[in-house]
Amino acid sequence: AGSSWNPRILGICFDAMVFDPRDPDRLYFILDKGYRSLDGGLSIEPIHPMWGWALALDPSPGGALYLGTGNGIVRSWDQGDTFQDASFGVTSYMWSLQVSPTEPGTIYAGDGSGYFNRRRSGEAAWQQLGLACDNLVDLAVTTATDPPTFFAAACGALWRSTDEGVPWHSLQTGSIIWTVVVDPAKPLNL
């Protein structure tokens, strides 16, 4: 797998991308606005006018698409055809979004101030859970541990929390970290 690559989306750089596990030809990405492709990246269309850095897709049936924008979060229940505000009081720049792999409808957000936030389905507002450092850039969660372990790329370092972001512990890596991803085949590996 991966022995040959074919360029799809030419002439555009994007900050985040997710594939829809229910339809491998549908993908979403964000940069100067939100975009969608329905043909595996052969063509693209804008779906939201606001720029941003983060997006997440709830893979459960009927799950929402979330875009983290420069002034909060928007959500789509119809695969990007329409969006509604989902900020619920959070108005800062969203660097990262992560859908909970264990709680359908729960989403986590890392904001431009370095805070880790959570909103569960049906809750009226986001809950600020903890502060990693000045700038929480990326989030990942693994359910290979009980309770789930959260990892964050923040202030150029790798951080870990075993209790939903209260508190965060820096893991010294000797490298500058901007992105963190859990290996789906080996969920204890980053």
Side-chain angles (χ1 to χ4, degrees):
S3 62
S4 66
W5 291 82
N6 295 315
R8 293 292 180 135
I9 303 169
L10 300 175
I12 188 169
C13 297
F14 48 89
D15 293 310
M17 179 175 65
V18 294
F19 289 87
D20 188 334
R22 299 164 294 210
D23 180 352
D25 284 332
R26 185 180 304 123
L27 60 105
Y28 303 94
F29 56 100
I30 193 166
L31 179 63
D32 61 329
K33 56 185 78 159
Y35 294 92
R36 166 179 66 193
S37 175
L38 300 175
D39 55 14
L42 293 174
S43 64
I44 60 172
E45 63 179 321
I47 56 173
H48 193 271
M50 181 62 78
W51 56 274
W53 283 86
L55 53 91
L57 180 64
D58 185 342
S60 62
L65 170 67
Y66 298 88
L67 276 67
T69 71
N71 61 356
I73 300 169
V74 294
R75 172 178 60 195
S76 174
W77 292 103
D78 55 14
Q79 302 167 338
D81 289 335
T82 61
F83 285 87
Q84 300 82 37
D85 180 62
S87 297
F88 303 103
V90 173
T91 57
S92 64
Y93 191 85
M94 289 297 120
W95 280 98
S96 56
L97 295 170
Q98 178 73 43
V99 173
S100 171
T102 57
E103 290 183 62
T106 296
I107 186 162
Y108 299 95
D111 67 31
S113 300
Y115 283 98
F116 184 64
N117 306 276
R118 176 188 66 211
R119 183 175 180 277
R120 288 190 167 115
S121 181
E123 288 183 341
W126 286 84
Q127 183 179 9
Q128 204 171 66
L129 298 173
L131 176 66
C133 72
D134 296 346
N135 194 342
L136 206 156
V137 177
D138 201 14
L139 290 171
V141 61
T142 179
T143 56
T145 59
D146 187 22
T149 299
F150 292 83
F151 295 93
C155 297
L158 180 64
W159 298 74
R160 178 182 64 205
S161 175
T162 56
D163 53 6
E164 290 192 316
V166 186
W168 287 96
H169 302 282
S170 177
L171 305 174
Q172 298 302 319
T173 63
S175 301
I176 295 176
I177 307 292
W178 288 100
T179 301
V180 60
V181 178
V182 173
D183 182 342
K186 297 179 182 178
L188 290 176
N189 292 348
L190 297 178

